[in-house]
Amino acid sequence: MGFGVTMSRGLSTACAVGAVMLLSVSATFAGAGPFEGLAGIWTGRGTIQLEDGSSENIRCKATYAVRGDAQGLNQTLLCASDSYRFELKSNVIAQSGVLSGTWRETSRNVGGTLEGRAGNGQFNVDVSAPSFTARLKLTTHGNRQNVVIRSEGQFRGANISLSRS
């Protein structure tokens, strides 16, 4: 099925926020791999900005399963605002400091890819799907993370704060 038309506000937001949440747990920690010690539940709140200038509050809960060598991560993410809800499943692999992966928004059956580099607790990542791209910057301090997303189109950006339970 092709996706040549612009994605709906909920879908484009789901894509961006889901990718951000996925990457937000992959901060540079010493050890066997970048995902070491990150298994568990993370929660957060933030604000999304839309093309028309409006904004909405968003709440998210993510569950992360880390591969034994801490070089792989499986994620399930559930997010909601006042006007929509989505569930995202993602897989990420780390090789020599380079991240790559895939994701799928299960209720809309849409997916895409992500790629980026990490260094000194900061990430710069490009996220893509049909009719959607975003650039994000992520900074991690201990069990807290700040995420900034910028994009063109119906979804313009987000600022999200996360913490691990």
Side-chain angles (χ1 to χ4, degrees):
M1 173 187 275
F3 292 95
V5 297
T6 304
M7 291 191 299
S8 70
R9 180 174 86 177
L11 179 57
S12 61
T13 301
C15 294
V17 173
V20 168
M21 299 295 285
L22 166 66
L23 293 169
S24 69
V25 299
S26 57
T28 51
F29 290 91
F35 306 121
E36 183 176 15
L38 297 176
I41 297 171
W42 293 72
T43 57
R45 292 182 175 270
T47 305
I48 56 173
Q49 297 83 39
L50 304 172
E51 181 179 40
D52 65 4
S54 66
S55 63
E56 291 188 28
N57 293 325
I58 191 165
R59 302 167 310 280
C60 297
K61 178 181 177 182
T63 303
Y64 301 99
V66 177
R67 196 169 74 190
D69 64 359
Q71 298 289 333
L73 178 75
N74 292 323
Q75 171 218 39
T76 299
L77 171 69
L78 181 61
C79 288
S81 75
D82 292 336
S83 63
Y84 62 88
R85 171 185 163 111
F86 64 89
E87 183 176 21
L88 195 70
K89 296 191 181 274
S90 305
N91 297 299
V92 180
I93 300 294
Q95 285 187 313
S96 303
V98 175
L99 301 176
S100 61
T102 60
W103 57 268
R104 179 150 300 279
E105 203 288 319
T106 59
S107 66
R108 294 170 182 90
N109 198 29
V110 175
T113 61
L114 56 93
E115 56 185 34
R117 286 189 91 46
N120 299 320
Q122 208 168 64
F123 280 81
N124 291 296
V125 178
D126 293 315
V127 177
S128 62
S131 303
F132 179 78
T133 59
R135 179 153 291 201
L136 51 112
K137 182 177 182 181
L138 156 74
T139 306
T140 299
H141 299 284
N143 284 338
R144 301 188 86 59
Q145 300 165 340
N146 293 308
V147 180
V148 177
I149 310 166
R150 296 294 172 251
S151 180
E152 298 298 321
Q154 290 180 335
F155 171 80
R156 291 297 176 132
N159 294 297
I160 301 169
S161 296
L162 305 171
S163 61
R164 184 166 52 179
S165 303

